[in-house]
Amino acid sequence: MRVIIAGGGTGGHLFPGLAVADEFRRRDASTEVIFVGTEHGIESRVVPREGYTIKFLRAEGLVGVSFKKKVKATGKMFLAILDSYRIIKTISPDLVIGVGGYASGALVFLAFLMSVPTIILEQNSIPGFTNKFLGRFVGTICITYQESISFFPRVKTYLTGNPVRLQISRGNVESAYKLFALKRGLFTILVFGGSSGAKSINLAVLEALNHLLDLKDKIQFLHQTGPADYEHIRESYRRIGFNGIIAPFIYQMGEAYVMSDMVISRAGATTLAELTALGKPAILIPYPYAAGNHQEFNARKLQEMGAAKVINDRELKGETLAGSIRELYINEKLREEMQRNSKSVGRPDACAKVVDIAMSVLRNTR
């Protein structure tokens, strides 16, 4: 069986696709999974590391860019269609799965026109432009949140949850300490702002360190900065004197999660799926420019259930963040309660559900 998984651009789109690919291979090692994305998306460096083949489209985004870039992206759309046709004819897939992002649009739509069975995954409560368009045509839609149903035809929409990579739940503590060289016995805080980092979070954490100096020998950080802020953040940790491992990008997130006592992060759908699958206490700082403000919407739901704390990006200050870190460090009972509440809303079986639906689609088309 050959499956194409198309899309990416960000980790929020790519990692659910990788989770589905791993589940296909777990069930049948002979299944061939090929990813399709762009050379400038996160998929170009992550997919080969995961052992999968990737093909590239000449595509760029149309939403939220200048008029000049819109014109350029429109021109590239025709190239993306040509690339998509070539890829589909060469691979002859049994199934095409779109995981969101502009790299999935042309290929999934062309697969539909060529009568290849198609599925899209929608990670967010409010779908992006590409999936809103594709939802009219594809055969099956798998959604993460109940609220998404109103955007798609109900008859072909399934509530599955957001697929989480198996490696996320299989992180090994011993391997983690060897990999990251952090100190045993210290309270460990994992910080990340998405695959490209988040400047506001990076700077707020640095400011928070100055309000946590009395805990310098009790806490440590594993901080994914993104490439732009890496050198500055790393040097600042050294100057202030906190123990931590600073990296532009963390590939081994299973190990990062397993050794962390709490997480500070954005509130993207894939991040929330991972946090709730593992039951990690979290301070969530929603991305303020997410479509329909869906990150804050989803983060607030977790806060209402006692599974996370939320700080709006516009209200993010080092002193405020330090206060929340201190509270979670001191109050073990609160952390345990957040862990239970978080796990109660997690959907660790989401990946299996998506692949079950995919296999059913294949059976019905043969």
Side-chain angles (χ1 to χ4, degrees):
M1 185 170 66
R2 289 179 175 177
V3 178
I4 288 178
I5 297 180
T10 66
H13 291 308
L14 174 64
F15 292 132
L18 283 169
V20 169
D22 289 345
E23 178 66 11
F24 271 116
R25 277 196 176 175
R26 188 189 68 79
R27 296 189 186 194
D28 184 351
S30 67
T31 300
E32 187 177 357
V33 182
I34 301 97
F35 282 80
V36 176
T38 67
E39 291 182 332
H40 44 269
I42 186 178
E43 60 272 17
S44 64
R45 64 180 190 272
V46 172
V47 169
R49 286 179 63 102
E50 297 296 322
Y52 293 101
T53 299
I54 183 166
K55 305 287 186 181
F56 295 117
L57 297 176
R58 290 167 288 181
E60 292 185 10
L62 280 164
V63 180
V65 296
S66 66
F67 176 75
K68 184 178 179 181
K69 288 188 175 180
K70 272 186 168 63
V71 172
K72 183 182 177 185
T74 302
K76 280 200 169 183
M77 191 184 300
F78 297 101
L79 297 175
I81 291 171
L82 289 174
D83 293 338
S84 297
Y85 180 79
R86 173 179 51 82
I87 290 169
I88 292 171
K89 290 296 287 184
T90 301
I91 295 172
S92 296
D94 299 286
L95 178 69
V96 169
I97 301 175
V99 293
Y102 53 85
S104 70
L107 191 133
V108 175
F109 182 61
L110 202 61
F112 158 75
L113 293 177
M114 296 171 72
S115 299
V116 179
T118 50
I119 297 174
I120 57 172
L121 309 186
E122 178 49 60
Q123 299 88 8
N124 298 307
S125 53
I126 300 173
F129 173 80
T130 301
N131 273 358
K132 279 183 182 177
F133 170 76
L134 292 175
R136 307 173 202 169
F137 307 101
V138 298
T140 306
I141 302 152
C142 296
I143 60 173
T144 299
Y145 297 106
Q146 186 79 29
E147 292 81 3
S148 302
I149 288 180
S150 61
F151 294 93
F152 300 114
R154 286 175 178 263
V155 69
K156 58 182 181 180
T157 302
Y158 298 85
L159 180 62
T160 60
N162 197 9
V164 173
R165 292 168 291 168
L166 202 58
Q167 60 159 285
I168 292 295
S169 59
R170 290 189 174 179
N172 180 275
V173 174
E174 293 302 317
S175 298
Y177 277 107
K178 288 178 183 177
L179 179 65
F180 295 115
L182 286 166
K183 293 182 180 179
R184 293 177 183 269
L186 295 189
F187 187 84
T188 303
I189 301 168
L190 172 61
V191 182
F192 60 97
S195 52
S196 299
K199 183 175 284 292
S200 61
I201 293 178
N202 290 339
L203 296 180
V205 169
L206 289 188
E207 189 182 338
L209 297 182
N210 292 306
H211 298 278
L212 297 167
L213 294 174
D214 58 313
L215 300 180
K216 190 184 292 187
D217 298 325
K218 299 180 175 67
I219 66 175
Q220 63 186 345
F221 292 81
L222 177 54
H223 190 150
Q224 175 182 291
T225 63
D229 291 340
Y230 169 63
E231 293 294 344
H232 169 59
I233 301 299
R234 184 178 65 164
E235 183 55 38
S236 297
Y237 269 91
R238 287 178 180 170
R239 177 173 46 80
I240 299 171
F242 270 85
N243 189 56
I245 295 297
I246 319 303
F249 187 81
I250 298 172
Y251 289 95
Q252 301 87 351
M253 282 300 290
E255 278 64 37
Y257 277 126
V258 77
M259 72 185 310
S260 64
D261 296 290
M262 63 169 285
V263 175
I264 300 171
S265 71
R266 290 295 194 201
T270 296
T271 296
L272 298 190
E274 293 173 352
L275 292 174
T276 55
L278 299 172
K280 285 292 175 181
I283 299 171
L284 301 174
I285 304 158
Y287 179 57
Y289 306 110
N293 203 26
H294 68 263
Q295 284 206 13
E296 182 176 352
F297 177 79
N298 295 331
R300 293 290 178 193
K301 284 202 298 185
L302 287 188
Q303 180 173 255
E304 288 167 9
M305 299 183 71
K309 287 181 168 292
V310 178
I311 304 174
N312 280 339
D313 196 87
R314 62 182 176 276
E315 299 165 355
L316 181 60
K317 296 178 181 177
E319 186 174 2
T320 306
L321 182 58
S324 294
I325 291 172
R326 188 182 295 276
E327 181 184 12
L328 285 171
Y329 167 72
I330 292 171
N331 196 334
E332 184 178 357
K333 186 177 179 181
L334 175 60
R335 295 199 310 272
E336 290 174 350
E337 185 180 342
M338 290 175 74
Q339 183 174 10
R340 285 193 300 272
N341 293 336
S342 181
K343 278 192 171 181
S344 73
V345 297
R347 292 179 178 269
D349 62 342
C351 195
K353 284 183 177 179
V354 169
V355 176
D356 285 344
I357 290 168
M359 299 305 292
S360 176
V361 167
L362 287 170
R363 284 193 296 270
N364 292 335
T365 56
R366 285 175 176 170

